[in-house]
Structure formats: structure tokens, C-alpha cells
Amino acid sequence: MGRKSRADRGADRARTAAEPPPALTGPGGRTHAQGPLTRPVESGLAELRPDRDRPGAWSLLVDGAPQSMVDLADPTHLGFEYQRRLGHLIDLVAPAGRPLTVLHLGGGALTLARYVAATRPRSRQQVAETDTALTELVRTELPLERGWQIKVRGSDARSVLERTPEGSVDLVITDVFSGARVPAHCTTVEFTALADRALAPGGWYAVNIADGAALPFARSQIATLGAVFPELCLVADPAVLRGKRFGNLILAGAHTPFPLADLGRKVATDAALGRVEHGRALADFAAGATPATDAGAAPSPTPPPGTFR
């Protein structure tokens, strides 16, 4: 789940004005001339909406909640704030260009899998997306490039994670939303421990969540990751961290220190404001929060009315 900030939209309009649009949105892909597309899928009503600022770009919404943005002409473009912050972690988990083995829990329009394939050729990726009708829609209208090693499994994220061989992946990215909420069974210490088990030495775990107001869910998720990983960091809009608006937060866990200076520089280059929290400041932010467990976990909160307008 995500949305473009005003700064993002302004940057896109400036870029579009400076660059001639491509003739097509992508090889075999849906063109803007065909207009938007709405189709029922297993998780609700999916909509592919052409992006007004980028001739090759499409937003995927499910039941009105923005899920993904894909630019068929440029798979390295990450249009949503949360996608860009996850992209920074993808950039930093290993030296530039080195192929990765990545497990994506939650597929949507496969934006981040496309980004990895484009920036790290020969990477091997697996995606867990329970909504097979949505995957079929995406593959048909927003096709992947031939040669990309991306396998999509039509299974629940946790069941795929349970079957993932120990120590087999460099990066696990959890971006699982049922509508606009993170399902409870993907928020727990037990789930996080499964992700840790799947990671190769030096691997990272990253998760996209959403919260607002006093941020009780986010604080609990920090405590949850902290019960498994000794190293944590968080990236979010300062307004979200202050409880001024509902929005996405990116959490990451590892067993070795993150390159925080490099991450901070990347976040600072974004059009949208972002802040990196770690160490004592992050511990103080989550002080008193209880880790979520399978016995009593709850999904993330429902976004307030008007969040996606």
C-alpha cells in the first residue's frame, strides 16, 4: 500500500516535461491510449490506472487502495515513497550490480521484483502472491521482460516462507496487505523468525507496514523485529513518525550493522521527506511496546477515511 507525495508528483511532472515520451509503454504492455482497466480479482476490485505524469507508468489499486506503481518504460523508477525506500535497501544489501537471491512476500504489480531484475541482472527471485487472478492480470497487462528470473507462487506468504530452505536468500521483503491492512499472521515474532531462518549470512529482512496517530502497531512491529534481529532501522516520513498522518513505514532487521550513513544519504535525495531512525532513538520510540506473537496478533489498523484521496 502506498501513495505519491506532492513532491513526487511535482518531480514527475518536471521530468516528463523535460523528456519526450516513449511511443509505447513497454513490449506487449498496455498503452495509455487503451485507458484504465477495472477487473474483479480474488482480493477485491483491481484497477490499473494510467499515471498522468509518466507515459509508461501504471498504478495498481485494489478496492481503491493504492498497491503498486509500475513504469514499463523504466523498471528502475519507483513511484511510491515506500517502494523507493525499499529500493534503497535493495541497493545497499550488496555491492552494486551483484546478483541477489530475493524472496518477496506479497506481489502486487511486481514492482520491486522488476527493480531488482533491472538493477541486478541474473538475480533469482521468488514472489509469494496468493491472488492468482491479480497475478494473471499483471502478467497480461504489465508483462515482465523475458530473461528475468522471477517466479510467482500462488500461495500464502507464510506458507511460502515456511517452505523456503534455510540460509537460501540474501533479502526477504515483506509487503503483504489484505486490502489496506497487514494480515495478523504476517506480523509476529514467529513469522519474523521464519524470515531470519531463510536468510543467508549477512542477509537482511525488510518489511512495509502502515500506521498512524500514536503508532501502536509500528511500535509493536519494532519490538517484534527486535526480538529476532539485533540490528534494526526504520525509514519513514517525519509527519508519519509524529502521528500527523497515516502512512507507510519501512522496518529492516539484520545480524550485522546497516550502512546507515549511505542509507541516510539515499533517503535525503528523495523528493519526499524521510527520516532514518536506529539505535537508542529507535529503542526509545518503541519503549514499552510488546512484540506480537501468533497467540494474540492483530492486523494493522484500518486507514482513516479519505487516506487515499
Side-chain angles (χ1 to χ4, degrees), residues 128 148 157 214:
W148 285 351

Side-chain angles (χ1 to χ4, degrees), residues 56-68:
W58 296 83
S59 291
L60 168 67
L61 298 86
V62 177
D63 288 341
Q67 300 291 327
S68 305

